[in-house]
Amino acid sequence: MVTHVIKTVLFVHLLSVLHCAHAAEAGSSQKSANSDGYEPAKGWHFYDLPEEVKKEIDQKIEAEVSKRVSEAIPVPEPGTSEWIKVNLPKVRQKAADDPTAENIRALLLMEKMLKDKARRLSRRVAMIAQTDPILDTSYKATSNMAMARERRVDVRGEKEALFKQMVKEGVALWIFVRGDCSACDRWFNAMERVSTEYGLKILWIIDSQTTIPNPPTSMEKYWEYRVGAGEAEGLGVDSDFSVFAYNQSSDQYVLVSQGFVPFASFLDRIILSADFSGWISPEAVESTMFSVNRFDLSDPDLKGYSGDMNDPVAYSNYIYQKLLEGK
């Protein structure tokens, strides 16, 4: 964009200057033309310039453009990350097109520069993180096996408590069954356990052309069945089994899975779907995560920051100070 603007401005300027010079040299042969290249009968006639003048204009424009572009766009300092980002693709392409020893050596050296910078950065990150109370990650309860096992037990308990609360507040399931029902027994077994342990109610919506095996009689309290009346098409269901969570309190639904969901991963799936729909609070979801996040920076508060918004380091350090202050 910068190059295009510079070229346009320079072209108009140089064209005018060179045309006037050419008209002056022509003398009496262009007496009918004004000194600025205007003829009443033809108007502006820059397009009448001889070929040698046009070539001269092109050469001067290219030289001036190169000069001004280099001034407008600073060249990165050689060896910096920005310099590598700009030049590595060029060197890689050059080595691919002309794999001389010199080109390949340049490619390998530039790649090593990048790797060495990353290695140095990772060492510094580890050092800063482990000595900073705000950035230390040892609290994630994964530093030893005993803490990890204890945290897994806590997380499982939090997930179960949260899901039971969701069920209590009116979350149920719609399960669409279409086409082949060879996996129905497996579905019944998994969902029977969910309903038994958490009191989850399920509405099975069966396609009119699908025959299902006899469901467990013990589920009469929790399960209902209905022949589909176009709901599957309306929701975009295109698999044999599709699970939707339905919130009776808000009359909203959200897709949980298109396919079989084993009992072991069912809670994770439905909590994720509920989080996506805003049915549960971010704090409740955070309590079910294995890695505890003490400081949520997904949506940092900009209030009170009066520094340069174009300086990411200054802004990040402002956030850091707020964390130290407990705000």
Side-chain angles (χ1 to χ4, degrees):
M1 183 64 183
V2 174
T3 303
H4 175 72
V5 172
I6 292 176
K7 278 189 174 182
T8 301
V9 173
L10 289 177
F11 179 79
V12 173
H13 174 70
L14 290 174
L15 193 59
S16 176
V17 171
L18 291 173
H19 189 282
C20 290
H22 173 68
E25 292 175 1
S28 60
S29 64
Q30 294 190 7
K31 288 180 182 179
S32 60
N34 295 333
S35 61
D36 57 2
Y38 178 81
E39 290 184 19
K42 299 176 64 177
W44 297 93
H45 51 94
F46 292 147
Y47 46 81
D48 288 342
L49 289 174
E51 287 300 320
E52 61 271 16
V53 176
K54 292 180 180 179
K55 290 180 179 179
E56 183 182 356
I57 291 175
D58 288 339
Q59 291 172 356
K60 291 193 174 186
I61 286 178
E62 289 300 327
E64 191 65 20
V65 165
S66 298
K67 176 184 176 183
R68 297 199 185 186
V69 167
S70 63
E71 294 173 353
I73 306 176
V75 178
E77 183 180 347
T80 61
S81 296
E82 185 179 1
W83 180 83
I84 295 173
K85 178 181 178 181
V86 170
N87 291 285
L88 183 56
K90 299 177 183 177
V91 174
R92 185 177 288 119
Q93 182 176 358
K94 188 174 182 179
D97 294 337
D98 184 18
T100 63
E102 182 180 17
N103 290 342
I104 293 175
R105 186 180 297 112
L107 172 62
L108 294 175
L109 285 171
M110 289 186 68
E111 288 180 340
K112 182 169 175 25
M113 285 183 204
L114 195 59
K115 292 175 182 177
D116 288 349
K117 286 180 178 294
R119 187 180 294 110
R120 182 181 64 183
L121 175 62
S122 66
R123 292 197 304 268
R124 293 294 296 166
V125 165
M127 182 59 191
I128 297 299
Q130 73 182 21
T131 57
D132 191 300
I134 297 296
L135 304 174
D136 183 16
T137 58
S138 62
Y139 64 85
K140 288 188 174 182
T142 57
S143 58
N144 62 65
M145 293 298 293
M147 293 176 66
R149 283 194 298 269
E150 183 178 347
R151 180 59 188 162
R152 287 191 183 96
V153 172
D154 291 343
V155 165
R156 182 67 188 181
E158 293 289 348
K159 288 179 181 178
E160 291 181 345
L162 177 58
F163 182 56
K164 286 178 180 178
Q165 183 63 31
M166 290 166 56
V167 172
K168 184 178 179 180
E169 293 175 356
V171 172
L173 287 189
W174 292 349
I175 300 183
F176 292 87
V177 184
R178 318 169 66 221
D180 182 21
C181 197
S182 59
C184 279
D185 287 334
R186 186 169 59 155
W187 268 100
F188 285 165
N189 291 335
M191 293 299 103
E192 180 181 13
R193 185 176 175 186
V194 173
S195 292
T196 300
E197 293 193 15
Y198 304 106
L200 179 68
K201 292 185 177 181
I202 302 176
L203 173 62
W204 298 83
I205 304 175
I206 316 299
D207 187 80
S208 59
Q209 304 299 316
T210 300
T211 302
I212 65 172
N214 293 326
T217 57
S218 60
M219 290 294 102
E220 293 179 355
K221 178 181 178 182
Y222 302 109
W223 295 3
E224 295 182 25
Y225 309 90
R226 191 174 75 203
V227 176
E231 301 95 338
E233 289 74 14
L235 293 174
V237 173
D238 58 6
S239 63
D240 292 340
F241 288 89
S242 295
V243 182
F244 285 79
Y246 174 64
N247 190 334
Q248 300 176 62
S249 300
S250 61
D251 194 27
Q252 296 176 316
Y253 56 83
V254 62
L255 180 64
V256 176
S257 172
Q258 295 216 45
F260 179 70
V261 181
F263 178 81
S265 61
F266 177 78
L267 290 186
D268 292 328
R269 285 256 189 172
I270 198 166
I271 289 174
L272 180 64
S273 298
D275 177 33
F276 176 79
S277 300
W279 298 349
I280 50 182
S281 68
E283 293 77 16
V285 177
E286 197 64 47
S287 70
T288 68
M289 298 297 175
F290 180 72
S291 297
V292 180
N293 184 12
R294 295 187 301 179
F295 308 105
D296 183 13
L297 294 180
S298 58
D299 190 18
D301 188 3
L302 292 174
K303 295 177 182 178
Y305 180 65
S306 58
D308 184 1
M309 293 301 295
N310 294 318
D311 186 347
V313 174
Y315 172 68
S316 297
N317 278 285
Y318 167 79
I319 295 296
Y320 180 81
Q321 290 301 321
K322 287 295 182 183
L323 291 176
L324 288 177
E325 295 168 9
K327 297 180 180 181

